[in-house]
Amino acid sequence: MSGPSTAFKGYIKYRGYGHVAFLLHRLTGLGTLLFLLIHIIDTSFVYFWPEGYMHAIALYRSTPFMIGEIFLVFSVIYHGVNGLRIIYFDMFRPDLWERETGKRSVIWTLIISIVLWLPAALIMVRNILVHH
Amino acid sequence: MGAQRQPRVVQPPRTFEGTAWKWMRYSGILLIPLAWIHVLIKDVLVGVHQIDLTYVQRTWAFTLWRIYDFLLLAFALSHGMNGLRQVLMDYIHSPSGRSRLNWILFIIWLIVLLMGAVAILGGVKGAEAF
């Protein structure tokens, strides 16, 4: 049997945990940038085209966008926590870049991110339920 | 592994790419408070249902919030666009391709930065009506 779970475990074994962190860092960074570009443009509409701003806000208030917002918040948190890990390793503890010691820090980065994210996610889920 | 290579602290070269590499670290540290506080206030505490033109106008009535938003705009956009540039450079190797990439991203960065900056300076259009 080789399901997605087996494939994932094999992938981690072959590439290492650090590579998972690398992929997550790029994914969360690019995702946040995509939203950032749209968000700067739609916010600038308060000056250039106020009606357009209200259209954008109406869209952001829809359920699919509010669910996306919860993932956006996770991306911003994870990218920041993992970024701090990268900076700390580069500047103070380059020995931690070793594959085996790196594993623990990758898992801890995820745990810290989820712990920071969960209260925010709960409040945002509540916001969705309140408004629908 | 063969000969043990002692891991050492990275010293980026004094080139454009070395500076760009350091820039991601310094702006990243600054963006932790800037972006996280922004997300905490707007997405979690206030929520998109409370945000409209009047909300923006009330926030920007405080010069400090305009300065905050401008810092966030400048640092987040520059950090993000340089990050995109670094990712794409993993796939674009020729000097001409990289030069074109740099110019395209620079122009997008400049246009979006100007749009944001003009809006922060100008404020909500027709704000007197609210």
Side-chain angles (χ1 to χ4, degrees), chain A residues 16-126:
Chain A
Y17 276 80
H19 193 73
V20 176
F22 166 83
L23 286 179
L24 273 176
H25 199 73
R26 291 208 154 177
L27 203 68
T28 53
L30 291 174
T32 304
L33 175 66
L34 176 65
F35 177 73
L36 179 68
L37 289 171
I38 298 168
H39 179 52
I40 292 170
I41 292 170
D42 70 52
T43 305
S44 77
F45 285 173
V46 300
Y47 178 75
F48 294 108
W49 182 33
E51 293 84 6
Y53 179 77
M54 302 209 283
H55 286 303
I57 284 292
L59 196 61
Y60 290 150
R61 286 176 182 176
S62 68
T63 307
F65 270 83
M66 287 182 82
I67 292 169
E69 190 187 11
I70 297 176
F71 288 102
L72 172 71
V73 171
F74 178 79
S75 295
V76 173
I77 293 173
Y78 179 82
H79 197 83
V81 175
N82 194 53
L84 284 179
R85 184 180 72 96
I86 294 172
I87 294 168
Y88 177 68
F89 281 18
D90 272 350
M91 292 178 84
F92 303 107
R93 293 294 302 276
D95 55 300
L96 289 177
W97 280 124
E98 295 298 314
R99 196 168 162 137
E100 277 314 302
T101 43
K103 174 183 165 177
R104 243 185 40 214
S105 70
V106 168
I107 293 171
W108 269 106
T109 304
L110 261 176
I111 293 173
I112 292 169
S113 304
I114 291 170
V115 166
L116 289 174
W117 172 65
L118 269 184
L122 283 177
I123 293 172
M124 287 190 288
V125 167
R126 192 181 155 272

Side-chain angles (χ1 to χ4, degrees), chain B residues 47-95:
Chain B
V48 70
H49 284 268
Q50 312 300 325
I51 294 175
D52 53 18
L53 290 167
T54 313
Y55 174 86
V56 177
Q57 193 218 334
R58 282 187 188 145
T59 308
W60 284 353
F62 299 94
T63 308
L64 267 179
W65 278 123
R66 290 200 195 213
I67 295 170
Y68 184 100
D69 284 349
F70 179 76
L71 288 175
L72 182 59
L73 164 72
F75 278 97
L77 184 62
S78 308
H79 183 96
M81 290 303 282
N82 189 48
L84 175 63
R85 198 181 65 85
Q86 290 176 332
V87 170
L88 288 177
M89 285 212 306
D90 279 357
Y91 305 95
I92 298 170
H93 300 287
S94 71

Side-chain angles (χ1 to χ4, degrees), chain B residues 17 73 96 125:
Chain B
E17 290 305 335
L73 164 72
S96 68
K125 197 180 183 186

